[in-house]
Each structure stands twice: as structure tokens, then as C-alpha cells.
Amino acid sequence: MGDPFYITTAISYPNGRPHIGHAYEAIAADAIARFQRQAGRDVRFQTGTDEHGLKMVQTARDRAVAVADLATEMSSYFRAMCDNFNISYDRFIRTTDSDHYTASQAIWRAMEASGDLYLDRYEGWYSVRDEAFYDEKELTEGEGGAKLSPQGTPVTWTAEETWFFRLSKYQEPLLELYRNNPDFIRPESRRNEVMRFVEGGLSDLSVSRTSFDWGVPVPDSPGHVMYVWVDALTNYLTGVGYPDGDMAHWPADLHLIGKDIVRFHAVYWPAFLMSAGIALPKTVFGHGFVLHRGEKMSKSLGNVVDPGDLASAFGVDALRYFLLREVSFGQDGSYSAEAIVTRVNAELANSFGNLAQRTLSFIAKNLGTLPPDGRAEDADGVLIEEVIVAAAGLKAAFGDLMLSQGIEAWMRGVFACNQYIDAQAPWALRKTDPDRMNAVLRTLVRAIRILAIAIFPVIPTGAAAILDQLGVAPEERDHAGIDDDSWYARRVANGSPVAAPTPVFPRLEMPAEAA
């Protein structure tokens, strides 16, 4: 196996069903994981659900069900979403898993052994919706003078006995971490926000609750359960076998999370790990929100859409492609039915899909097998070089987490192929110069293979279908062999037939009720 690569999403809080933001994060993480597998890395990809905390208790009470039953039901919707969107996770973790209790209690004991936990009384503002504590200076004023969190969520005054973590002790170590490792928090705008927050001073953090019992019990402290974020963040360690496993995939290469929870991952989490004597993750990347027609989704606006409904309306690969192509990774983005149809039809259906369809249809109808070598011209080599450069552009951009820019680079290769086929006109060469036609078709097949391998992490089902039609075996689909065309010679030597292809990316139509 190659070098380890460990990628995680945030674990989703399942007091409600998945929305498009959950799907977007899972799709982006999946594309990165598939890309790294193609590069030969030993990838571990983890996602899952964060099932403890007061929100779950309140939701279960409102629905008159046991909180454990609610957790199991709601977690199943998130797993189904991942499976529906072809998310290639290695583990779907639940924070109610028994090994996660073991890991959470182990890191608690490690922090306690460092002298960083002490028992006291907490009085302050708490947002149930955010599962977060806030200083008075962070609050804003809502209607009627109501106090709100920076996220605009209601806060309540909380007073109870609690264990505290000496977060203040780690203010300077954290700032040193950010200064010495600029890639620890990405993009840069998130890093700047976190640095300003930490420079403003850190207070010790309440890390246990006694007002409810739905959580991981604090070791040797009856009546206390861990603050949900201690337990939730530890899932990343649980997934690699902490405390007794070999932890071969730790430290994590990438924690991919929403921008609204960067503080927990870039301040609390590294401080916990420093205290416990555990290596820090390499990068925390806070992506933006996916907006509906430029507006944040909310139940009150009636614009919350089930991602499964979008997948049914447009197709899984089409939606994956649109989200990763349309949204500049790290920034907010917007979607609408019109935007999805326009983008997918222009680039997948009319450009890449049509390129593969008309090339393979022509070969199937006129030759029946892949064409042998023909009379080559300079234009052939120029195209292959353009396509290799486009694939390399995608690879470089994906390696730097610039997903939309990578797809844009890939599209330049697709456009070059369509210009080439129009200029060379193999349908005309069939009558006037069959030898030249063979060279043109061979060039196109080679180019389509390179493009399909490159875009596979984004649209794995469609890209695999095209590669199957070309006769490219699964073991021949990694980045290392992207410009190796020895497979072509083998297929020609074997006389493998080329069947009439089935369209992979049909044109989309606007649904009757636009999403």
C-alpha cells in the first residue's frame, strides 16, 4: 500500500434529516478520497453521525421517543444519503459505538493526567442549537432584546457543576501553531478569523454536563457526561484505533468541515490533542455554505430541499459534478434547478458525453473494433499533449484542494477534443482517407480515456461507464498510468469488439416543479 491518507468529514448532528449542505461536504470529501486512491495513497475516509447532546434529548422528548431510538433512526438517513451519493467511506461512525466510548474516555484520562481538567461551577450563556458556550462579548441582540449567538441562535443562561478544560493555557501554543503552519487552517480567510478569536483571549472551557445523561460518562465522576464536542471531535481518533490500535493513519491529513464549526476544530481540538500528547491533524478546511438561489436554506422560508430529491430529479453524477464545478471550494455557492440544468447540459451532456458518444458510435458502426494505427499528423500529438496537460491541471488543483479550478482545467481538454474532432471530420475521412481516419479515431479514444480517468473522482459512475465502453480495466484507471496507452495495443491485438455505446450523460430537462 502507498502512503497513508486520512480524510474525515464533520460528523452530522442527526436531530433533523440531511440537507444539501451535508451532501455537498460528503461529495467533496469523496472526490478527494477517490483522487488520493488514484494517486496510490492508502486512503481511510470516515464520516458518520454525532448523536449525543442536549439537542437530541429535546428532539426525542418532543417526538415522545427514546433518544437512543431517535439516534438510530436519524443516523440511518445520513448513511442512506452517503450511499445514495456513491460516497466511498471506509467507516460510517456513530458516536454511540462502543469503541467510541472507549476512545473518548481515554482522551479524557490523558487530558486529566496532564493536569488540564478541574472541577468547578459554570455560569454563562449556552446555545442548545449550536451546542456551544459563548462569552457575553460575542452575543448579539435580537428582536425584543433577546440575546443571540454569533450564529443568530437563541442562548440561555446555564448554571451547573462542570469539569473545565484549561483552554487558556493553550492560547500561545495555538497561535504558534497557526504562525508556523499556515496550512493548518484553510482557506486563509478562516485562518484569519481563528487567529483573531484566539488573540482576543481564551477562557477555560466547560467540558461536562450534569443536566442530562445522554452522552459519554466522565470517568470516575458520577452524574457527569462529556460536553458533546469533546466526544464528537474524538471520533476522528476512534476511527484509527485509539487508544490501543496502531493508528497508522494518524495524524489526519484533512478534516473537511463547514465554516460554522471551524472554531471547534481549529481551537478546541488541537488544544485537546496537545494536552493528551497526540499528534495534530495536518489541515482543517472550512468550506462554505450551499445556498438556494443565493439564500441560506431554512424551514421558515420553505426552501429546504432533500438532497435525495435533487439526485432523483437530476442524477447523482450530475449533481456531484454541478456542486464541485459551480462552487469555488472554500467559498459560499448557490444552486437552482436552472443552474444545474445549464451547467450539466453544457459540459457533461453536450461536451464530454457527446464527445464519447459520437466517437464510440462511429467506431462501432464503421469498424466494430478499435482502429489500428493509421497515418499520424502533428495535430494528433498536439491534442494528446493538451489533454495530458488538462489532466495534470486537474491533478495539481485537486492536490491543493482547488476542486472547481481542477474541473475547469479538465474542461479545457474536453473542449480541445471537440475542436479536434470537428476539424478532422472522421466521417468525411472514412470515404477519402481511411488510414488517416484510423489515426484520428485512435487519438480520440486515447484522449477520452485520459479525460475519463481524470474526472473519475467527481463522476465515478459515468466515468466508469465510459471506461468500460472503451475496454479499460479497473486496474488501469489510476493517475500513474494516465498517459500510458499500452492498453490500446492490447485491445487492438485482441480484436476486442466495440459495441454501440449507451449514452452516459443524457441532456437534462427542467423538472416540472423546479427545485
Side-chain angles (χ1 to χ4, degrees), residues 86 92 103 106 205 222 227 241 275 306-307 323 339 426 438 444 490 507 514:
N86 205 3
F92 186 96
L205 179 67
Y227 172 43
S275 175
D306 186 325
L323 290 172
N438 287 341
L444 286 167
R490 289 194 297 273
R507 283 182 56 81

Side-chain angles (χ1 to χ4, degrees), residues 244-495:
D244 299 320
D246 62 15
M247 293 181 65
H249 283 82
W250 192 263
D253 292 85
L254 178 62
H255 289 323
L256 182 59
I257 59 170
K259 66 179 182 180
D260 54 334
I261 55 173
V262 169
R263 179 189 303 183
F264 303 99
H265 286 78
V267 180
Y268 301 167
W269 182 224
F272 295 161
L273 292 170
M274 289 176 185
S275 175
I278 300 170
L280 305 186
K282 297 175 184 177
T283 298
V284 173
F285 191 101
H287 64 76
F289 295 143
V290 178
L291 310 175
H292 184 230
R293 300 185 187 276
E295 292 184 324
K296 191 172 181 179
M297 288 165 283
S298 72
K299 292 179 181 178
S300 60
L301 291 174
N303 62 355
V304 177
V305 178
D306 186 325
D309 292 342
L310 287 173
S312 297
F314 302 109
V316 169
D317 268 3
L319 193 57
R320 286 174 62 111
Y321 182 87
F322 171 82
L323 290 172
L324 298 184
R325 173 73 164 105
E326 188 81 6
V327 180
S328 182
F329 201 48
Q331 307 302 314
D332 290 348
S334 186
Y335 83 94
S336 67
E338 296 87 348
I340 295 170
V341 169
T342 298
R343 174 73 74 179
V344 171
N345 282 349
E347 297 186 358
L348 284 187
N350 295 348
S351 295
F352 186 50
N354 187 49
L355 169 69
Q357 179 70 17
R358 61 175 173 166
T359 299
L360 291 172
S361 294
F362 187 87
I363 292 172
K365 179 179 179 180
N366 294 284
L367 298 174
T369 62
L370 291 181
D373 289 342
R375 181 170 58 79
E377 293 183 358
D378 289 347
D380 308 342
V382 169
L383 176 68
I384 294 301
E385 182 59 29
E386 286 183 287
V387 169
I388 290 173
V389 167
L394 180 145
K395 183 177 180 180
F398 269 48
D400 197 31
L401 304 180
M402 299 169 64
L403 305 186
S404 59
Q405 293 92 329
I407 300 172
E408 183 178 358
W410 174 81
M411 275 304 305
R412 290 195 285 271
V414 175
F415 292 149
C417 285
N418 281 304
Q419 291 172 345
Y420 171 88
I421 194 172
D422 289 341
Q424 297 298 323
W427 50 89
L429 292 171
R430 182 174 67 87
K431 297 178 180 179
T432 61
D433 194 345
D435 195 40
R436 175 63 191 145
M437 177 195 72
N438 287 341
V440 169
L441 294 174
R442 183 181 187 279
T443 300
L444 286 167
V445 169
R446 289 180 61 203
I448 292 167
R449 170 188 168 273
I450 293 169
L451 292 169
I453 291 174
I455 203 63
F456 176 83
V458 177
I459 46 173
T461 301
I466 288 175
L467 290 166
D468 287 342
Q469 292 176 359
L470 294 175
V472 181
E475 63 271 17
E476 297 174 315
R477 299 177 185 181
D478 58 50
H479 272 287
I482 203 166
D483 57 351
D484 175 14
D485 65 348
S486 60
W487 66 277
Y488 191 98
R490 289 194 297 273
R491 284 220 64 198
V492 171
N494 293 336

Side-chain angles (χ1 to χ4, degrees), residues 172-192:
E172 285 307 316
L174 287 168
L175 290 172
E176 183 178 358
L177 168 68
Y178 308 148
R179 288 191 290 263
N180 294 341
N181 300 275
D183 283 343
F184 179 74
I185 307 171
R186 293 186 58 190
E188 186 179 4
S189 58
R190 312 277 182 260
R191 177 174 175 268
N192 293 338

